[in-house]
Amino acid sequence: MKGTEAFQELLPLLGDEPVVHANGFICRESFSIKDREENFYMIGSMGLASSIGLGVALCKPDRKVIVLDGDGNVLMSMGTLAMISAEAPNNLVHVVIDNEVYESTGKQRSISNAVPLEQVAKSAGYRQAVRVDKKEEIKPAFEKLMNSEGPVFLLIKVEPCFDPKTGRVTHTPEEITERFMKSLR
Amino acid sequence: MALITSKSFIDRLIQENFKFFTGVPCSLLSGLISHLEEVEEAKYIPSVREDAAVGLCAGAYMAGSMPVLLMQNSGLGYCLNAFTSLNLIYRIPVLVIMSWRGQGGKDAPEHIIMGDINQKLLETAGMDYSVLKPENLDQVLETAKRKINEEKLPYTLIVEKGLFDERH
Ligand SMILES: Cc1ncc(C[n+]2csc(CCOP(=O)(O)OP(=O)(O)O)c2C)c(N)n1
Ligand SMILES: [Mg+2]
């Protein structure tokens, strides 16, 4: 499956959950398919979507919080998988679009072909960690994890397909903060 | 003798509604963290890296908490990208309590350079700070709260050796 197909499959499954996006392609793809007030588009601070999501999850225990991450971002902050496991927020769902490359910067290889990230998450202590390769598996896997006690991890293996014509997030960072916070109140 | 007790300082921050604490330890901040682990009203979450702590604080802030990041100045290097590409442009404030190792060139070799440049780095990034003293505590906290609540920007309190009681 192509990365874009994973987004097209996944995004319609969302309700009003806050979603913290990793930088690069992840933000841009999600923004151009469907912009939502509950989306936090992290355009810089590579690697921190997971820790931002952890902070939201700990301070909003009544909301399901989703982190939409990339393999390069996860590899940069593997220690955060340990923090998430240690704090174990039962409302955190960590979804990773794993294309085995840094797609946003020109498809240079990451090392997630050699490191099964779902096993890393499982060993760190996530309650469940699931890997899917096919488009049809996304919906059942995501719905099951959304109804499970977190923290849970969904690794979606995709092929790179980024179209550089895909638009950038047009909201200013300040606007993103403002509307994301409003959606959390 | 500590100039400000860890207990009184943490209790003051809690009273000012800072209740979400995280960071990576420094011996100069050990009394603060020990006290945090004992109080009911606040949460202390151990972070594995200072930049992850910045992310954690950003999430906590957007979800309605007032976060505090405790770190050694050696963590400042790890945080600069997070401060410049997250906090400063998104207007996500955080109160940073940063210990000053290497002050005056008298410390272990690994602290000397950062001890010399930590303020310059903050200034270059356009981030306000104060060196905390017993006599400026009230005024500095007012300034920090203004920066955080009105400008929605980070504020750093620099902690010299001997300011707080250490516990290790
Ligand atoms: C600290 C830092 N290093 C490098 C970059 C450049 N950069 C932006 S996006 C990106 C790739 C992110 O990779 P991944 O999480 O796998 O997402 P993908 O682009 O593959 O969807 C990189 C390396 C950056 N923004 N920040
Ligand atoms: Mg990738």
Side-chain angles (χ1 to χ4, degrees):
Chain A
M1 131 186 62
K2 297 246 176 6
T4 310
E5 293 176 282
F7 282 93
Q8 278 160 351
E9 198 66 24
L10 184 71
L11 299 184
L13 306 175
L14 299 175
D16 67 350
E17 301 84 8
V19 182
V20 181
H21 292 65
N23 67 333
F25 165 71
I26 312 258
C27 275
R28 291 169 68 175
E29 192 76 13
S30 178
F31 173 76
S32 44
I33 292 176
K34 189 177 192 305
D35 184 29
R36 303 158 74 245
E37 305 232 311
E38 301 87 352
N39 282 355
F40 185 76
Y41 303 108
M42 184 191 78
I43 58 172
S45 59
M46 182 171 166
L48 299 193
S50 48
S51 47
I52 295 170
L54 176 60
V56 176
L58 291 173
C59 296
K60 281 279 174 227
D62 301 333
R63 297 282 291 269
K64 273 277 180 207
V65 177
I66 297 170
V67 175
L68 194 48
D69 225 336
D71 50 306
N73 272 264
V74 170
L75 286 162
M76 188 175 268
S77 292
M78 281 227 280
T80 301
L81 301 180
M83 286 174 64
I84 290 172
S85 300
E87 290 305 316
N90 60 17
N91 56 332
L92 188 76
V93 178
H94 197 166
V95 180
V96 180
I97 306 291
D98 181 3
N99 48 19
E100 301 187 355
V101 290
Y102 299 99
E103 184 153 15
S104 313
T105 47
K107 299 193 176 63
Q108 303 85 353
R109 67 194 167 88
S110 72
I111 50 175
S112 64
N113 62 320
V115 181
L117 294 175
E118 82 287 5
Q119 286 184 34
V120 177
K122 187 78 186 123
S123 305
Y126 279 63
R127 291 208 166 87
Q128 291 184 59
V130 177
R131 171 194 179 117
V132 302
D133 298 281
K134 296 192 202 67
K135 201 165 77 173
E136 313 77 70
E137 296 171 331
I138 292 179
K139 185 165 190 266
F142 181 74
E143 284 176 347
K144 176 168 168 275
L145 291 175
M146 285 292 281
N147 289 311
S148 303
E149 201 183 338
V152 290
F153 193 88
L154 176 61
L155 188 78
I156 308 180
K157 280 296 216 182
V158 301
E159 292 149 35
C161 68
F162 188 53
D163 176 358
K165 289 201 289 293
T166 308
R168 287 180 184 275
V169 175
T170 51
H171 309 295
T172 67
E174 284 182 50
E175 285 164 0
I176 295 169
T177 308
E178 216 166 283
R179 57 184 217 150
F180 184 69
M181 287 181 70
K182 204 160 119 223
S183 80
L184 285 173
R185 281 202 283 268
Chain B
M1 258 301 280
L3 299 171
I4 305 176
T5 66
S6 297
K7 180 179 181 322
S8 68
F9 184 66
I10 292 297
D11 291 350
R12 174 71 184 274
L13 289 182
I14 292 171
Q15 197 190 321
E16 304 280 2
N17 209 30
F18 290 98
K19 294 181 182 165
F20 185 97
F21 293 78
T22 183
V24 179
C26 172
S27 58
L28 272 53
L29 307 174
S30 55
L32 300 180
I33 297 173
S34 296
H35 185 62
L36 278 170
E37 297 280 26
E38 287 159 13
V39 294
E40 290 277 301
E41 309 90 308
K43 198 199 246 319
Y44 174 75
I45 295 166
S47 279
V48 296
R49 288 178 53 106
E50 290 83 356
D51 54 354
V54 174
L56 188 65
C57 286
Y61 172 77
M62 291 192 287
S65 292
M66 286 294 261
V68 182
L69 163 51
L70 301 156
M71 69 176 189
Q72 189 170 86
N73 55 349
S74 51
L76 180 59
Y78 286 173
C79 290
L80 275 177
N81 182 51
F83 287 145
T84 56
S85 70
L86 182 66
N87 301 75
L88 295 179
I89 62 168
Y90 284 83
R91 296 264 170 173
I92 298 178
V94 57
L95 179 63
V96 181
I97 297 176
M98 182 176 85
S99 64
W100 190 355
R101 295 297 306 265
Q103 184 180 10
K106 295 188 298 286
D107 207 328
E110 68 273 24
H111 293 300
I112 302 301
I113 294 176
M114 185 53 84
D116 184 34
I117 65 171
N118 48 197
Q119 278 122 314
K120 282 183 238 161
L121 285 176
L122 288 169
E123 285 159 22
T124 302
M127 294 176 63
D128 285 358
Y129 64 85
S130 295
V131 179
L132 187 60
K133 310 265 183 195
E135 58 275 16
N136 70 9
L137 175 68
D138 289 316
Q139 176 226 318
V140 159
L141 279 181
E142 279 315 306
T143 309
K145 283 192 300 181
R146 210 176 319 119
K147 198 82 195 168
I148 288 168
N149 294 323
E150 291 168 27
E151 294 184 56
K152 315 236 178 285
L153 287 170
Y155 196 82
T156 301
L157 306 182
I158 298 179
V159 172
E160 297 166 308
K161 187 162 177 57
L163 182 69
F164 296 123
D165 46 306
E166 296 181 20
R167 266 194 260 174
H168 34 129

